Amino acid sequence: MKILLVEDEKQLSKSILSYLKNEKYTCELAENFESAKEKLELFDYDCILLDITLPDGNGLHLLQLLKNEKKADGVIIISAKNSLDDKITGLNLGADDYLPKPFHLSELGARISSVIRRRQFKGSSVIEINDLAIDADSKIISFKNIPIDFTRKEYDILLYLAVNKNKIVSKNAIAEHIAEDNIEYFDNFDFLYAHIKNIKKKLTSVGAQDCIKSVYGMGYKIEAK
């Protein structure tokens, strides 16, 4: 799952990013309005943590931009402005939640999980792909209740394909989803080929179906009922 943090307070953003990465989320940071706007125009996120007060603009205008573009990214407003008007405005603009600062990171994590469950898993924390169960809360993928030992990147790739099951997902889209802010360093897809090969090997080693199909010249697809 990929998260964008829009936050200009350096110490707070450092704490949030460290916590979320430990929770196996792929995270990107935008420290001002313009950089956040650019990222929102270029990429999709499973959840956006949006500060209202930015040095060069109002975070609520970013929320309006998302809605104008009809993007489906989940949004949690995080703000020191704990005013009723801001809450009502943010929620009316389409935010999923509003969390006033200061907050406990564990509460933030629980709210992110809740938003992702509602938007990606129809309210459940588990998505089932053929004979696999992917638990987005525990970050465990299992076959017949036996956990399979995936690396974080392998987990991210398999979950991303599972969320987009029966759709062709381009290599670029997968790279962008797992690369955080390092996409500019990728000049080929060798890293992706290696991860896909390892995932397939681990699936077949436990008797699970190799559900990842290569689509020549386009990308990959998980075929599932």
Side-chain angles (χ1 to χ4, degrees), residues 83-101:
S83 75
L84 181 60
D85 286 345
D86 283 333
K87 287 182 181 178
I88 292 174
T89 301
L91 294 172
N92 281 340
L93 283 173
D96 297 271
D97 202 350
Y98 190 109
L99 183 60
K101 300 175 185 175

Side-chain angles (χ1 to χ4, degrees), residues 2-5 17 21 26-31 35 39 43 45 153 175-186:
K2 187 173 184 177
I3 293 176
L4 174 64
L5 172 61
L17 290 176
K21 288 180 179 179
T26 300
C27 304
E28 294 183 3
L29 172 66
E31 296 183 292
S35 64
K39 285 180 177 293
F43 307 115
Y45 298 91
K153 292 300 183 189
E176 290 170 359
H177 188 77
I178 65 172
E180 301 178 291
D181 289 317
N182 299 319
I183 186 65
E184 63 270 26
Y185 297 111
F186 294 159

Side-chain angles (χ1 to χ4, degrees), residues 117-178:
R117 277 199 305 271
R118 288 200 304 271
R119 286 184 166 269
Q120 303 286 17
F121 304 128
K122 300 179 180 178
S124 171
S125 65
V126 178
I127 182 170
E128 295 183 347
I129 297 294
N130 299 331
D131 45 12
L132 294 174
I134 305 174
D135 191 322
D137 282 350
S138 65
K139 312 295 188 298
I140 292 175
I141 299 175
S142 59
F143 170 68
K144 295 183 178 179
N145 296 320
I146 300 174
I148 307 172
D149 184 22
F150 287 112
T151 67
R152 178 184 160 188
K153 292 300 183 189
E154 291 165 358
Y155 168 87
D156 288 343
I157 291 170
L158 190 52
L159 177 58
Y160 187 53
L161 291 172
V163 169
N164 292 282
K165 65 182 180 181
N166 297 319
K167 299 177 185 175
I168 299 173
V169 184
S170 72
K171 297 169 188 173
N172 271 325
I174 299 172
E176 290 170 359
H177 188 77
I178 65 172

Side-chain angles (χ1 to χ4, degrees), residues 5-21 27-31 49-54 76-81 99-106 108:
L5 172 61
V6 184
E7 174 61 67
D8 66 310
E9 294 181 39
K10 293 187 181 300
Q11 190 57 47
L12 178 59
S13 62
K14 183 179 179 181
S15 298
I16 292 175
L17 290 176
S18 176
Y19 172 79
L20 293 179
K21 288 180 179 179
C27 304
E28 294 183 3
L29 172 66
E31 296 183 292
L49 307 178
L50 181 62
D51 188 12
I52 290 179
T53 307
L54 298 170
I76 299 175
I77 294 174
I78 53 173
S79 176
K81 296 174 65 178
L99 183 60
K101 300 175 185 175
F103 48 77
H104 290 287
L105 291 173
S106 56
L108 177 65

Side-chain angles (χ1 to χ4, degrees), residues 34-46:
E34 284 303 319
S35 64
K37 181 181 176 184
E38 182 179 0
K39 285 180 177 293
L40 294 178
E41 290 173 342
L42 291 174
F43 307 115
D44 295 320
Y45 298 91
D46 296 295

